[in-house]
């Protein structure tokens, strides 16, 4: 009797458990789940601010310019500002004494016309006495270079040569990182040079021409870039690397986010059996492609942003029974439960209106906060209604109240030049965006191969930057607030660096890259993690935080 009684109760308990799971499953598949705050309008965060003591300063750089290289000068000014630095611009012809170069963190020469210097010995005396100077474009051959070249770490210099590709001496990040970016699309105008044994090389062309190096001179430092690529904002990783070599430490804001966009969601493919005789195209994506994308997302916590592009509507589209909108409803719910986000993929104003209407029909009460545009013009028009935009811009910016993030890499398999762009942005701002379009499988007939490549790429990124946060597009826009809207002041007391930011989002950390050749001996109101050679990720939990430096490595 006892045993029978226990079995009956076990059956009741099991039945109740199955009923509860069934109810939860029905709720999860219904539109009710989309009405929760988690899936709907994001909670607005308060901004905390502070005034900074007068003893704290923003590091200031002197940029020397000539009549040439106007694009370079504008690009370097913008990059230094995004790094949170102040910039003073002066003509190279205005420098008359060594004292004109003093009072700055470092001096940057943004002209190849070094013959315009009133006295070449000025910069030699400046650096010899402890200053630091960066040639941000390869200098033109002439008497001035003939006077300087040995002090710049050279034993021989020759004529102009076009170089391609980048070979790093060390990865940007940890030892598993990429170092070889061999591409004919990565182009520099360089000088044929041979370095002295005392020079420290950081990067060369694919054919071995030195591109970036450092040379000590007296008590100071020369850094030389033997190229011309810094005029492009998307090619400035080596510029930032050079800036980091000029002083004992450099701190700069970063976003710490990656965005993985599923373009063409939810796989609007033609009828037929193009990928397998056993499945229709629609069933193939539902049975094989989507589960594999879900597996990869789960393993690497990608939090997909899926951009929806409206179905062409000639007036016959039934919003209730359309199989395409049924797919949007089904895939969309699953995407949101995975922690993802739906964004608008817009190519025209009418397309935008249809997209909004179709998303609202398939997913009632879901609020759209992010957009993706392939053109700057449409991006500007769409940005008025979106908190965050992904568009083909050169750098992170704020347009009115919309954060615009650069679309960087596209495709399941990335070429060397695309990887270079990706690692550039990751190094200079702590952001990378990667867009893939699974509907391309129909034409290319390589679904399984491309999915394997995609998974391998995620594994590679995990090994190189395991600390990077996977955010949806709108969340990455929120994370960019301190990057764009906060100034970082600093002061030093012995080995202790004290930093004071002017603004941050309440209860959300701010992130910074810190470059130093010294160890970290202590921290206050922040956490520090080494992410590369002489490179640290700083997670600041307060507007004011401090880092104590230890011994030199």
């Amino acid at each position: 009797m006892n045993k029978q009684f226990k079995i009956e109760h076990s059956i009741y308990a099991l039945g109740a458990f199955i009923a509860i799971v069934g109810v939860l499953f029905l709720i999860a598949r219904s539109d009710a789940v989309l009405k929760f705050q988690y899936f709907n309008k994001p909670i607005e965060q308060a901004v905390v601010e502070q005034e900074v003591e007068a003893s704290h300063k923003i590091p200031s750089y002197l940029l020397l310019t000539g009549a040439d290289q106007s694009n370079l000068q504008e690009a370097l000014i913008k990059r230094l500002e995004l790094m949170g630095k102040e910039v003073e611009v002066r003509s190279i012809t205005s420098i008359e004494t060594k004292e004109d170069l003093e009072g700055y963190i470092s001096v940057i020469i943004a002209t190849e016309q070094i013959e315009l210097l009133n006295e070449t010995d000025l910069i030699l005396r400046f650096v010899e006495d402890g200053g630091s100077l960066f040639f941000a474009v390869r200098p033109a051959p002439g008497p001035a270079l003939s006077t300087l070249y040995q002090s710049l770490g050279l034993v021989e210099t020759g004529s102009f040569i076009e170089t391609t590709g980048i070979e790093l001496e060390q990865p940007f990040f940890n030892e598993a990182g990429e170092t070889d970016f061999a591409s004919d699309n990565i182009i520099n105008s360089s000088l044929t040079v041979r370095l002295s044994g005392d020079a420290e090389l950081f990067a060369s062309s694919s054919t071995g021409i030195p591109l970036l190096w450092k040379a000590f001179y007296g008590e100071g430092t020369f850094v030389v870039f033997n190229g011309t690529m810094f005029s492009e904002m998307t090619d400035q990783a080596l510029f930032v690397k050079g800036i980091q070599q000029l002083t004992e430490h450099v701190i700069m804001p970063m976003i710490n986010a990656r965005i993985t966009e599923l373009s063409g969601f939810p796989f609007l493919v033609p009828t037929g059996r193009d990928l397998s005789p056993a499945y229709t195209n629609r069933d193939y994506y539902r049975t094989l492609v989507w589960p594999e994308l879900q597996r990869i997302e789960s393993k690497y916590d990608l939090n997909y942003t899926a951009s929806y592009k409206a179905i062409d509507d000639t007036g016959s589209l039934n919003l209730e029974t359309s199989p395409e909108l049924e797919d949007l409803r089904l895939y969309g719910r699953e995407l949101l439960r995975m922690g993802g986000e739906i964004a608008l993929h817009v190519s025209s104003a009418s397309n935008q209106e249809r997209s909004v209407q179709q998303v609202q029909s398939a997913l009632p009460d879901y609020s759209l906060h992010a957009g993706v545009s392939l053109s700057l013009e449409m991006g500007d028009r769409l940005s008025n209604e979106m908190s965050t935009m992904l568009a083909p811009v050169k750098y992170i910016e704020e347009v009115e109240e919309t954060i615009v993030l650069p679309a960087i890499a596209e495709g399941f398999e990335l070429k060397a030049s695309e990887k270079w762009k990706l690692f550039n942005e990751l190094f200079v701002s702590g952001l990378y965006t990667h867009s893939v379009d699974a509907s391309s499988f129909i034409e290319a007939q390589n679904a399984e191969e491309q999915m394997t490549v995609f998974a391998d790429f995620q594994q590679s990124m995990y090994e190189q930057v395991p600390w990077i946060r996977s955010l949806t597009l709108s969340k990455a826009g929120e994370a960019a607030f301190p990057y764009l809207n906060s100034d970082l002041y600093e002061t030093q007391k012995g080995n202790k660096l004290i930093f004071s930011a002017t603004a941050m989002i309440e209860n959300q950390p701010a992130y910074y890259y810190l470059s130093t050749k010294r160890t970290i001996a202590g921290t206050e109101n922040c956490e520090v993690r080494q992410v590369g050679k002489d490179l640290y990720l700083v997670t600041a939990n307060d507007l004011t935080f401090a880092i104590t430096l230890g011994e030199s490595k």
Side-chain angles (χ1 to χ4, degrees):
M1 293 291 293
N2 236 349
K3 293 181 179 179
Q4 183 180 0
F5 178 79
K6 290 180 180 179
I7 290 174
E8 289 176 354
H9 273 270
S10 298
I11 292 173
Y12 295 149
L14 179 61
F17 174 76
I18 293 173
I20 292 171
V21 171
V23 170
L24 292 175
F25 180 75
L26 290 174
I27 292 175
R29 290 182 63 84
S30 74
D31 292 334
V33 72
L34 303 180
K35 298 181 181 180
F36 293 140
Q37 188 75 15
Y38 180 79
F39 292 116
N40 199 18
K41 186 176 181 179
I43 300 173
E44 293 187 5
Q45 299 288 344
V47 175
V48 292
E49 300 176 312
Q50 71 170 352
E51 293 186 4
V52 178
E53 297 178 7
S55 60
H56 291 219
K57 305 294 182 183
I58 296 177
S60 179
Y61 291 78
L62 175 61
L63 189 71
L64 299 181
T65 65
D68 64 327
Q69 307 290 332
S70 60
N71 290 339
L72 172 66
Q73 296 155 21
E74 293 176 5
L76 296 188
I77 291 170
K78 187 61 184 180
R79 178 56 63 199
L80 288 166
E81 291 174 346
L82 289 171
M83 293 173 67
K85 312 307 178 188
E86 292 184 343
V87 188
E88 181 173 335
V89 181
R90 292 184 60 178
S91 170
I92 194 171
T93 59
S94 70
I95 305 302
E96 297 181 350
T97 66
K98 182 170 74 72
E99 287 70 28
D100 290 336
L101 301 173
E102 296 173 346
Y104 306 93
I105 292 295
S106 297
V107 177
I108 303 167
I109 295 181
T111 173
E112 65 180 57
Q113 298 175 341
I114 59 174
E115 301 293 338
L116 297 177
L117 278 166
N118 290 318
E119 185 184 347
T120 307
D121 285 346
L122 282 178
I123 62 174
L124 291 176
R125 295 199 303 272
F126 168 70
V127 174
E128 187 175 27
D129 290 344
S132 57
L133 189 143
F134 186 2
F135 288 87
V137 61
R138 56 106 183 91
L145 182 58
S146 297
T147 301
L148 292 171
Y149 80 97
Q150 290 182 323
S151 304
L152 301 182
L154 297 173
V155 295
E156 185 179 355
T157 179
S159 58
F160 291 132
I161 184 174
E162 183 179 279
T163 59
T164 59
I166 301 286
E167 178 73 31
L168 303 177
E169 292 299 305
Q170 294 285 339
F172 282 149
F173 300 105
N174 65 28
E175 294 181 358
E178 300 258 358
T179 59
D180 184 15
F181 301 90
S183 171
D184 291 340
N185 294 323
I186 303 173
I187 302 172
N188 279 288
S189 172
S190 305
L191 291 170
T192 54
V193 296
R194 186 159 60 91
L195 301 188
S196 67
D198 296 333
E200 183 178 358
L201 180 65
F202 299 104
S204 303
S205 71
S206 293
T207 55
I209 300 295
L211 292 181
L212 181 69
W213 66 88
K214 175 172 69 175
F216 294 110
Y217 182 72
E219 298 296 320
T221 304
F222 281 112
V223 174
V224 182
F225 178 61
N226 183 26
T228 51
M229 70 193 310
F230 293 165
S231 57
E232 289 292 333
M233 295 288 293
T234 55
D235 282 325
Q236 292 181 337
L238 294 183
F239 173 71
V240 173
K241 186 70 173 179
I243 291 291
Q244 293 172 345
Q245 306 310 310
L246 294 170
T247 52
E248 183 180 68
H249 78 272
V250 175
I251 193 167
M252 52 187 277
M254 54 91 77
I255 296 177
N256 189 14
R258 67 171 170 183
I259 300 164
T260 305
E261 182 218 351
L262 299 182
S263 184
F265 187 82
F267 322 122
L268 303 178
V269 294
T271 59
R273 297 176 182 268
D274 299 284
L275 296 171
S276 170
Y279 297 96
T280 64
N281 292 338
R282 188 182 180 198
D283 289 343
Y284 186 90
Y285 277 81
R286 181 64 191 163
T287 307
L288 299 176
V289 173
W290 179 236
E292 179 62 8
L293 286 173
Q294 288 179 302
R295 184 193 69 80
I296 296 171
E297 190 283 333
S298 177
K299 182 175 181 179
Y300 300 104
D301 191 29
L302 297 181
N303 293 326
Y304 294 134
T305 292
S307 58
Y308 176 73
K309 185 176 182 180
I311 306 166
D312 291 334
D313 185 4
T314 59
S316 59
L317 181 67
N318 188 319
L319 296 180
E320 297 297 327
T321 62
S322 165
E324 291 85 1
L325 292 188
E326 176 58 31
D327 282 349
L328 174 60
R329 189 174 294 112
L330 179 62
Y331 285 109
R333 287 175 181 154
E334 294 181 357
L335 174 82
L336 297 177
R337 287 194 294 270
M338 291 159 56
E341 174 180 47
I342 296 175
L344 291 186
H345 188 125
V346 178
S347 56
S348 67
S350 60
N351 176 272
Q352 176 184 343
E353 294 174 2
R354 291 199 307 274
S355 294
V356 172
Q357 181 186 21
Q358 291 170 14
V359 170
Q360 290 179 344
S361 175
L363 303 169
D365 299 312
Y366 180 75
S367 298
L368 292 158
H369 302 286
V372 177
S373 176
L374 299 181
S375 72
L376 291 174
E377 181 180 355
M378 273 310 304
D380 290 342
R381 190 179 305 172
L382 180 62
S383 66
N384 295 327
E385 303 176 17
M386 297 292 163
S387 65
T388 311
M389 280 291 305
L390 185 66
V393 294
K394 299 294 185 181
Y395 53 86
I396 302 164
E397 59 183 328
E398 190 168 12
V399 179
E400 297 182 354
E401 297 183 358
T402 299
I403 303 295
V404 184
L405 304 178
I408 302 169
E410 182 178 355
F412 286 92
E413 188 169 5
L414 301 180
K415 299 177 181 178
S417 59
E418 295 167 323
K419 289 183 179 180
W420 174 247
K421 299 294 185 185
L422 186 151
F423 279 97
N424 261 270
E425 193 62 38
L426 185 56
F427 192 69
V428 302
S429 72
L431 169 77
Y432 84 76
T433 62
H434 183 201
S435 301
V436 293
D437 186 353
S439 62
S440 63
F441 296 159
I442 296 292
E443 181 178 351
Q445 294 285 303
N446 58 354
E448 293 184 8
E449 175 187 340
Q450 292 297 286
M451 296 291 278
T452 299
V453 169
F454 184 58
D456 291 344
F457 175 76
Q458 302 308 324
Q459 180 63 30
S460 172
M461 294 305 297
Y462 175 77
E463 292 171 355
Q464 295 178 69
V465 287
W467 43 266
I468 195 79
R469 299 182 301 165
S470 295
L471 301 181
T472 61
L473 182 53
S474 62
K475 289 294 184 183
E478 292 178 15
F481 175 85
Y483 177 84
L484 292 171
N485 296 287
S486 179
D487 295 323
L488 187 67
Y489 292 75
E490 60 182 87
T491 190
Q492 185 166 356
K493 296 180 179 179
N495 293 325
K496 188 175 185 179
L497 306 174
I498 304 172
F499 304 100
S500 295
T502 57
M504 67 187 300
I505 297 178
E506 188 176 23
N507 299 322
Q508 288 190 16
Y511 296 91
Y512 302 89
Y513 280 138
L514 172 68
S515 173
T516 179
K517 289 186 178 295
R518 297 177 63 179
T519 59
I520 305 300
T523 62
E524 296 176 21
N525 296 331
C526 67
E527 300 171 2
V528 176
R529 172 178 179 172
Q530 187 165 5
V531 296
K533 184 182 180 182
D534 305 327
L535 185 65
Y536 297 86
L537 171 65
V538 180
T539 305
N541 303 307
D542 198 281
L543 287 169
T544 298
F545 58 99
I547 298 172
T548 301
L549 300 179
E551 299 178 351
S552 298
K553 298 177 184 177

